[in-house]
Amino acid sequence: MDTQNLSGLDLPEKEHKILEAAIKVFSEKGFSAATTSEIAKNAGIAEGTIFRYFKTKKDILRGILVHTINIISGKLVLSSIEKILAASDGKDVRTILKEVLYDRLKLVDSVFPMARVILTESLFHDDVREAIYQNIISPAVEMFKVFLAKAIERGMIRDDIDPEIVLRSIMGNAAVFIAQRKLFSDKFLMEDMDKELDKLIDVIMYGIAVKNPDYIKSDKDLT
Amino acid sequence: MDTQNLSGLDLPEKEHKILEAAIKVFSEKGFSAATTSEIAKNAGIAEGTIFRYFKTKKDILRGILVHTINIISGKLVLSSIEKILAASDGKDVRTILKEVLYDRLKLVDSVFPMARVILTESLFHDDVREAIYQNIISPAVEMFKVFLAKAIERGMIRDDIDPEIVLRSIMGNAAVFIAQRKLFSDKFLMEDMDKELDKLIDVIMYGIAVKNPDYIKSDKDLT
DNA sequence: AATTGTAGTGAGTACTCACTCATTTTTTTA
DNA sequence: TAAAAAAATGAGTGAGTACTCACTACAATT
């Protein structure tokens, strides 16, 4: 087991070390401000060696991108969510949603440093953005839609709003949850995770309004 | 009226033009990859002139930061939300929330380019991050908490969950809403804004679960 | 008209960085 | 073990950068 979770996909050891070092330096300084000499120093190799494995600095970024996509869309990862969905009969949405969210959060934890790098750089590099969209976002959205369709079909989730809205709400809540844990992390401990997740799901499921207020006048269809 | 909404705070015309140009170039390439020569070209001035107004390139970024903070925390902006809250008696949360969100979304629209620059760079510059936290996030959170406390007091919002969770849910939903509109904006038109906002608020208020399902077993307190 | 002050200029400067390549070190092969 | 091949090295290179400064243009003041 190594610190940056680059393991598994049989890369040459040196290439592996370069990617690890690059993830560290890129996430601290950003792609442009990072220097190949600092990456080399962090990887414990000579600067010239970098260019045996990657033609250009930009190529290192692409290496990180490809590697991240491989991890996220790899069989191991995909199958775990499919397993959850397959075994979902009889459980309520709350339980399933918790299992799915927990699974995804663990994944985010494990790839966070590299995901952060490629997401940040996607703001400035069209090719990176496009690759992320095609290989991560789009499939993830599709997968979630399948899950939602099932849940709606079984009457577990409202059918009077667009699935996109449901998706957006789950995504939004999860995103802020992650951002808070990762960017202002000092305060948040792993032990609280379970309780925190319960609260998160509760608010996603039932919203912030009081449960049975008298002053809600109409339930007009908003679709 | 000018394109980048830098107006109002009586800056010298040249300084103004430099900031506008810098916002454009920084948001396209990021701070590090942006060059002072390109900023000068965009501002229609000589490169040397930049350094009459800003000691260093980093100083231009600070200029954008200060300017953004001034706009967001300026009297004009603050007061509009206070007005909404002051006139909130008798209205339901939904209406108030819509007014507040609409007000904030308009604000985000008007400062988006510069906000994007300083948020992105806050990842790499501690001083920028600290200034954003102290001058924007922290006061905004405080203000929202006052609003929530009032709403909870009046029985309009659940009191069985932490206000932080409520805040996070609103923030998260709003963030994804903005991100979708701004980053994949082609699809979204301004006319749909009102309808979209209704849907957004609906899901924030009532969640994604079916309204009155029989299979919800317990309503245990999650606080 | 002469002088002073100010804003603007852009070629020049010192320096940094991605990338190269002649040389050295290590590994493989015979 | 010797020769050949491959891998690794790091000083060197040139393109490009942030920033400087000697100068110009022109307005205000005397």
Side-chain angles (χ1 to χ4, degrees):
Chain A
M1 196 59 185
D2 60 306
T3 51
Q4 298 267 6
N5 206 322
L6 284 173
S7 54
L9 294 115
D10 50 44
L11 290 172
E13 191 215 336
K14 281 269 158 66
E15 194 171 333
H16 187 107
K17 274 208 276 188
I18 294 168
L19 285 182
E20 267 189 19
I23 289 168
K24 181 167 185 290
V25 180
F26 285 165
S27 67
E28 279 166 6
K29 316 211 167 183
F31 174 78
S32 278
T35 66
T36 48
S37 93
E38 196 178 350
I39 293 172
K41 210 173 285 169
N42 265 277
I45 58 170
E47 196 173 351
T49 308
I50 288 179
F51 295 94
R52 285 195 144 307
Y53 292 90
F54 300 94
K55 263 175 72 74
T56 64
K57 184 172 129 178
K58 179 78 189 267
D59 243 40
I60 307 176
L61 183 64
R62 287 199 200 97
I64 296 173
L65 174 67
V66 167
H67 199 84
T68 309
I69 289 173
N70 280 340
I71 291 180
I72 291 185
S73 65
K75 280 179 207 155
L76 288 170
V77 170
L78 268 186
S79 67
S80 75
I81 237 194
E82 275 158 6
K83 241 179 272 168
I84 292 170
L85 289 182
S88 69
D89 299 313
K91 295 176 184 167
D92 67 358
V93 218
R94 202 160 166 158
T95 310
I96 302 167
L97 197 56
K98 187 170 176 181
E99 281 173 16
V100 171
L101 278 182
Y102 185 76
D103 183 74
R104 291 296 98 171
L105 287 176
K106 259 196 328 196
L107 174 61
V108 169
D109 266 335
S110 72
V111 299
F112 187 78
M114 48 189 118
R116 189 191 140 153
V117 167
I118 62 167
L119 283 177
T120 306
E121 296 311 324
S122 75
L123 289 170
F124 308 123
H125 305 263
D126 290 349
D127 53 341
V128 174
R129 182 167 54 246
E130 187 61 19
I132 291 176
Y133 186 79
Q134 294 294 336
N135 293 283
I136 300 178
I137 300 196
S138 190
V141 167
E142 285 313 309
M143 193 156 65
F144 239 117
K145 277 189 182 165
V146 171
F147 167 57
L148 288 181
K150 265 197 195 175
I152 290 175
E153 195 181 296
R154 291 190 208 160
M156 295 164 130
I157 283 181
R158 299 171 59 177
D159 58 0
D160 62 334
I161 47 176
D162 302 332
E164 277 81 14
I165 310 282
V166 175
L167 184 61
R168 207 163 64 188
S169 179
I170 296 173
M171 296 286 212
N173 276 288
V176 176
F177 185 78
I178 290 166
Q180 208 176 30
R181 271 168 35 91
K182 285 296 180 179
L183 303 179
F184 314 93
S185 57
D186 318 341
K187 307 170 198 162
F188 293 88
L189 308 166
M190 203 60 188
E191 305 121 45
D192 301 332
M193 193 46 175
D194 199 70
K195 240 187 272 181
E196 290 288 328
L197 251 186
D198 276 330
K199 294 184 199 173
L200 178 71
I201 287 165
D202 189 71
V203 90
I204 291 174
M205 292 290 290
Y206 308 120
I208 65 171
V210 286
K211 297 277 172 75
N212 292 306
D214 352 83
Y215 65 83
I216 293 178
K217 290 128 200 164
S218 65
D219 265 332
K220 52 181 173 174
D221 191 346
L222 283 160
T223 311
Chain B
M1 197 58 187
D2 61 305
T3 50
Q4 297 267 5
N5 206 321
L6 284 173
S7 56
L9 293 115
D10 50 46
L11 290 173
E13 191 216 334
K14 281 272 155 65
E15 195 170 332
H16 187 108
K17 274 208 279 190
I18 294 167
L19 285 181
E20 268 189 19
I23 289 168
K24 180 166 186 289
V25 180
F26 285 164
S27 67
E28 279 165 4
K29 316 213 166 180
F31 174 78
S32 278
T35 67
T36 48
S37 94
E38 195 179 351
I39 293 172
K41 210 172 285 171
N42 266 277
I45 58 169
E47 195 173 351
T49 308
I50 288 179
F51 295 94
R52 289 197 152 280
Y53 292 89
F54 301 94
K55 265 175 71 75
T56 62
K57 184 172 127 177
K58 178 79 189 267
D59 243 39
I60 306 176
L61 183 63
R62 286 198 201 97
I64 296 173
L65 174 66
V66 168
H67 199 84
T68 309
I69 289 173
N70 280 340
I71 291 180
I72 290 184
S73 66
K75 282 178 205 155
L76 289 170
V77 170
L78 268 184
S79 67
S80 76
I81 236 194
E82 274 157 6
K83 242 180 272 168
I84 293 171
L85 290 182
S88 68
D89 299 312
K91 296 174 183 168
D92 68 357
V93 219
R94 202 161 166 159
T95 311
I96 302 168
L97 196 57
K98 188 170 176 182
E99 283 173 15
V100 171
L101 277 182
Y102 186 76
D103 183 75
R104 292 295 98 171
L105 286 176
K106 259 197 328 194
L107 175 61
V108 168
D109 265 335
S110 71
V111 300
F112 186 79
M114 46 189 120
R116 189 190 140 155
V117 167
I118 63 167
L119 283 176
T120 307
E121 295 312 323
S122 75
L123 290 169
F124 309 122
H125 304 264
D126 291 348
D127 54 340
V128 174
R129 181 166 55 244
E130 187 61 18
I132 291 177
Y133 186 79
Q134 294 294 335
N135 293 282
I136 301 177
I137 299 194
S138 189
V141 167
E142 284 313 308
M143 192 156 66
F144 238 117
K145 278 190 180 163
V146 171
F147 166 58
L148 287 181
K150 265 196 195 178
I152 290 175
E153 195 181 297
R154 289 190 209 159
M156 295 165 131
I157 282 182
R158 299 170 61 176
D159 58 359
D160 63 333
I161 47 175
D162 303 331
E164 278 81 13
I165 309 282
V166 175
L167 183 61
R168 208 164 63 188
S169 179
I170 296 174
M171 296 286 214
N173 276 286
V176 176
F177 186 77
I178 291 166
Q180 209 177 28
R181 271 169 35 91
K182 285 295 179 180
L183 304 179
F184 314 93
S185 57
D186 318 342
K187 307 172 201 161
F188 292 89
L189 308 166
M190 203 57 188
E191 306 120 45
D192 301 332
M193 193 43 178
D194 199 69
K195 238 186 271 179
E196 290 288 329
L197 252 186
D198 276 328
K199 293 185 198 170
L200 178 69
I201 287 166
D202 189 70
V203 90
I204 291 174
M205 293 288 291
Y206 308 120
I208 65 172
V210 285
K211 297 278 172 75
N212 292 304
D214 355 81
Y215 64 83
I216 293 178
K217 289 127 197 163
S218 64
D219 266 331
K220 54 179 172 174
D221 191 347
L222 284 160
T223 311

